[in-house]
């Protein structure tokens, strides 16, 4: 046996066989995808910058970073990836997102305040971080409450900042239930701004079952939704526009 084989990680050999990263037509985006799926933290910044030289940051996010996480999800769901690989891929995606955010820059225009958070008990914040980056790039002042945010803290932040829009992300069926609690508390206390809820666990049926709730399918919807909210479009009208 060659010395190089002594420390072979057989789980990684298995992964290599089972990974089916869709070979995109674009070689630069493919490199970004591969780096995220492989958790290649050393090269992701270089690959994202190469892709950014040819593509809009939104394309790199949607077609490179988010698609790669879809593949990571498949590998996790099929039992090929475990927590360590998934954490490394997530960190790699975030490093890539940072570069895209730098490229998008921050608009000088300050349109209005949006509060974002990831649900109580939930640490899955990649979707929220994409939403944050897109909102900032589009001139919104983002009050980022972070992940695993207690219902009480979300309600208090709304009272303090009086945002034009509130967003929530939840990836677990056990944590998304925080959203209707938040909406009910806000409604009871006289707030009626749109509360856009997204994340893998969250469905249109669930979010439209409580007042204020609007379902957000893709992070890219956050800036146009926030534009509407700032322009005074009501949550009922926004629900009609985005959820029917
Ligand atoms: C990455 C990942 C992790 C990472 C999270 C890293 C991070 N910083 O987020 C790590 C490894 C830490 C992790 C941990 C765990 N995970 Co996990 N994880 C995943 C995985 C593989 C991918 C999720 C992801 O990031 N997707 C990519 C992002 C970009 O997608 P997204 O958030 O949905 O966002 C998109 C849209 O929803 C939308 N969106 C999101 N928010 C918003 C908001 C607005 C306003 C708008 C408009 C749009 C929008 O925009 C994005 C696309 O453009 C999923 C698998 C899956 N099938 O989903 C499991 C999954 C979510 N995890 C799961 C579990 C169980 C766990 C653990 C409990 C595991 C454990 N045994 O410890 C812990 C959770 C601990 C906790 N308390 O939260 C389960 C949840 C099951 C359930 N339904 O309840 C899943 C579904 C896996 C599975 N099939 O079992 N996980």
């Amino acid at each position: 046996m060659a010395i190089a084989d002594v420390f072979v990680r057989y789980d990684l050999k298995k992964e290599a066989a089972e990974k089916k990263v869709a070979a995109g037509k674009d070689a630069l985006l493919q490199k970004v995808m591969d780096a995220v799926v492989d958790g290649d933290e050393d090269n992701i910044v270089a690959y994202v910058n190469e892709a950014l030289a040819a593509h809009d940051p939104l394309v790199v996010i949607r077609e490179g970073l988010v698609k790669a996480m879809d593949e990571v999800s498949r590998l996790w769901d099929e039992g090929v990836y475990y927590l360590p690989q998934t954490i490394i891929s997530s960190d790699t995606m975030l490093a890539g997102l940072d570069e895209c955010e730098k490229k998008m820059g921050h608009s000088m225009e300050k349109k209005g305040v949006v509060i974002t958070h990831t649900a109580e008990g939930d640490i899955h914040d990649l979707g929220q971080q994409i939403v944050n980056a897109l909102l900032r790039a589009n001139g919104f002042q983002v009050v980022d409450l972070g992940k695993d945010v207690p219902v009480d803290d979300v309600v208090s932040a709304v009272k303090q900042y009086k945002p034009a829009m509130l967003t929530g992300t939840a990836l677990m069926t056990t944590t998304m239930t925080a959203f209707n609690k938040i909406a009910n508390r806000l409604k009871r206390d006289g707030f009626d701004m749109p509360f856009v809820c997204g994340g893998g666990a969250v469905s249109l049926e669930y979010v439209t079952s409580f007042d204020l709730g609007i379902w957000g399918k893709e992070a890219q919807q956050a800036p146009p939704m926030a534009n509407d909210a700032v322009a005074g479009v009501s949550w009922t009208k926004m629900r009609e526009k985005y959820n029917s």
Side-chain angles (χ1 to χ4, degrees), residues 67-79 81 86:
K67 265 204 183 150
M69 285 310 297
D70 289 345
E71 176 63 4
V72 171
S73 295
R74 187 188 70 77
L75 290 163
W76 166 296
D77 290 344
E78 291 181 9
Y81 271 19
T86 311

